[in-house]
Amino acid sequence: MKIGELSRSTDTKVTTIRFYEEIGLLNRPARTASGRRTYTTGDVERLNFVRNGRRLGFSIEEIRSLIALASEPNRDCGEAMTIASCHLAAVEERLEQLTALRDELAVMSRDCDRQRIADCRVIHTIARPVGSPISIGLSPARAGRAMSCEGHATAREASSAASSRLRRSAFRSE
Amino acid sequence: MKIGELSRSTDTKVTTIRFYEEIGLLNRPARTASGRRTYTTGDVERLNFVRNGRRLGFSIEEIRSLIALASEPNRDCGEAMTIASCHLAAVEERLEQLTALRDELAVMSRDCDRQRIADCRVIHTIARPVGSPISIGLSPARAGRAMSCEGHATAREASSAASSRLRRSAFRSE
DNA sequence: CTTGCTTCTACAGTGACTGGAGATTGTAGG
DNA sequence: CCTACAATCTCCAGTCACTGTAGAAGCAAG
């Protein structure tokens, strides 16, 4: 099985597979005479394990530990349980934060009367002094495929946010 | 007001303030003769705006747009509303994903009988073929201050994950 | 004068990929 | 056999939103 087929059968991009190999999450596969990677069904299982782990939100390092544990069938599974329940607790905390966030966003959207910026509830809510103690670790706007939110932020004149972040200092004062 | 005071009064790290300046989210402040940045109350407001926006999960680019909008009080606020409600929709989607995730994690933790790895429900759940269509964009384990989940993943022997990711190929096969 | 704090610049690192350049290999059709 | 095109290869830079470090300089108090 070549990398393309592995990619298709695990719904993982080719570059991601190579990345997993580089960081040691996948074993280095055998190569053909011309240097192409060849995979076995064991590799498919392993990659599925990694992908499921990621889908469940485990970090690469957590998955690395879980793989190591999985390869010792006679060990006590306490450590795996610790990783899982710890992660569960983290997810529950983020759920709470995200719920609070959603409520705040919903209020500000609901209350805005859609008139002038000067009276805009959205702008005013964000502009208020550093208020409520909700401090969130949300990584925002990764959005991806599901949302059609593109183009609102970038469309104005930051369109040339081309390459280096150092070049982005086309900043505009108020 | 020097950068340290601005940092304290907005609960923002000094390095973050300088970062915001570099990318043009904050105006370049005046400097003392020796080159220290000096800030005004206007800068405090602006930084609060940015911080509140971030806390609400808006991206830097969205905040950039919102700042531009906020500086034109007589404009229609439709665009601000679009950004906000679009973001709200994204947050709601993530909430759903995260809830599904939590349920899955809860089941696997609950059902594990804490015996041998070979029977561990956690391991088996992750090892199953690429199943349910939940595809999540969660960035995991950023965790930070609130959780005490450190050391489970990194403690084993990846402790020398020192500098370059290229050096991390101390990979172990199964 | 010395100690210790703050601030400065410049740059590398994080996590988990993603994308591109430029080269090579494999395969199918003409 | 030649040509097109797809798949693969390596290498490296970019993403996002910061965070941290090194090494130098400034500043106030004892």
Side-chain angles (χ1 to χ4, degrees):
Chain A
M1 179 188 272
K2 276 184 293 178
I3 201 169
E5 198 184 336
L6 178 63
S7 164
R8 262 165 273 127
S9 68
T10 58
D11 196 30
T12 309
K13 297 200 171 163
V14 168
T15 43
T16 306
I17 296 173
R18 286 197 279 251
F19 169 74
Y20 286 158
E21 179 189 328
E22 189 179 293
I23 64 171
L25 264 195
L26 302 180
N27 298 326
R28 275 191 218 287
R31 302 277 187 137
T32 67
S34 65
R36 309 285 160 100
R37 293 166 173 86
T38 52
Y39 295 95
T40 66
T41 50
D43 293 320
V44 180
E45 277 169 40
R46 173 87 160 240
L47 182 50
N48 272 330
F49 190 96
V50 172
R51 295 302 282 175
N52 276 323
R54 289 293 301 135
R55 187 180 57 80
L56 290 165
F58 290 102
S59 72
I60 295 286
E61 289 312 312
E62 283 168 330
I63 291 169
R64 210 188 286 274
S65 298
L66 289 169
I67 286 173
L69 290 171
S71 67
E72 297 181 76
N74 290 318
R75 277 190 56 160
D76 185 271
C77 81
E79 209 167 333
M81 274 299 294
T82 306
I83 294 174
S85 53
C86 213
H87 180 57
L88 174 58
V91 167
E92 275 172 346
E93 200 201 338
R94 308 249 275 121
L95 256 179
E96 271 179 49
Q97 295 172 337
L98 210 52
T99 304
L101 197 66
R102 193 234 3 229
D103 294 344
E104 219 172 333
L105 283 167
V107 167
M108 82 166 70
S109 295
R110 179 168 47 80
D111 291 355
C112 188
D113 55 1
R114 286 141 218 261
Q115 299 293 309
R116 296 164 59 241
I117 284 282
D119 313 310
C120 177
R121 182 68 53 160
V122 172
I123 297 290
H124 278 289
T125 306
I126 306 175
R128 106 210 117 166
V130 68
S132 27
I134 311 167
S135 168
I136 188 151
L138 171 78
S139 78
R142 193 156 149 188
R145 51 189 174 290
M147 294 300 309
S148 60
C149 282
E150 323 299 317
H152 296 302
T154 46
R156 293 184 67 79
E157 68 218 85
S159 51
S160 68
S163 50
S164 162
R165 70 185 161 114
L166 292 164
R167 207 143 319 169
R168 255 190 274 168
S169 47
F171 76 106
R172 34 161 35 240
S173 64
E174 50 185 327
Chain B
M1 178 187 273
K2 274 183 294 178
I3 201 169
E5 197 183 337
L6 178 63
S7 164
R8 261 166 272 127
S9 67
T10 58
D11 194 30
T12 308
K13 297 203 171 161
V14 168
T15 43
T16 305
I17 296 172
R18 287 196 279 249
F19 169 73
Y20 285 159
E21 179 188 328
E22 190 178 292
I23 64 171
L25 265 194
L26 300 181
N27 298 326
R28 274 191 219 287
R31 303 275 187 139
T32 66
S34 63
R36 309 284 160 98
R37 292 166 174 86
T38 51
Y39 294 96
T40 66
T41 49
D43 293 320
V44 180
E45 276 169 40
R46 173 89 160 235
L47 182 50
N48 272 331
F49 190 96
V50 172
R51 296 302 281 175
N52 277 322
R54 289 294 301 136
R55 186 178 57 79
L56 290 165
F58 291 102
S59 72
I60 296 286
E61 289 312 311
E62 283 168 329
I63 292 170
R64 211 187 285 275
S65 297
L66 289 169
I67 287 172
L69 290 171
S71 69
E72 297 180 78
N74 290 318
R75 278 192 54 160
D76 184 271
C77 80
E79 209 167 334
M81 273 299 293
T82 305
I83 293 173
S85 52
C86 212
H87 180 58
L88 174 59
V91 167
E92 275 171 347
E93 201 201 337
R94 309 249 275 121
L95 256 179
E96 270 178 48
Q97 295 172 334
L98 212 51
T99 304
L101 196 66
R102 192 229 11 225
D103 294 344
E104 218 171 336
L105 284 168
V107 166
M108 82 166 70
S109 295
R110 180 168 48 78
D111 290 355
C112 188
D113 55 2
R114 285 141 219 264
Q115 298 293 310
R116 297 165 60 244
I117 283 282
D119 314 309
C120 178
R121 182 67 54 159
V122 171
I123 297 291
H124 278 288
T125 306
I126 305 175
R128 109 210 114 167
V130 68
S132 28
I134 311 166
S135 167
I136 187 149
L138 169 77
S139 77
R142 193 156 151 188
R145 52 191 173 289
M147 296 299 311
S148 59
C149 283
E150 323 299 318
H152 296 302
T154 47
R156 293 185 67 79
E157 66 219 85
S159 51
S160 68
S163 50
S164 162
R165 72 185 161 114
L166 291 165
R167 206 143 320 171
R168 254 188 274 169
S169 47
F171 77 109
R172 32 157 41 234
S173 67
E174 48 185 325

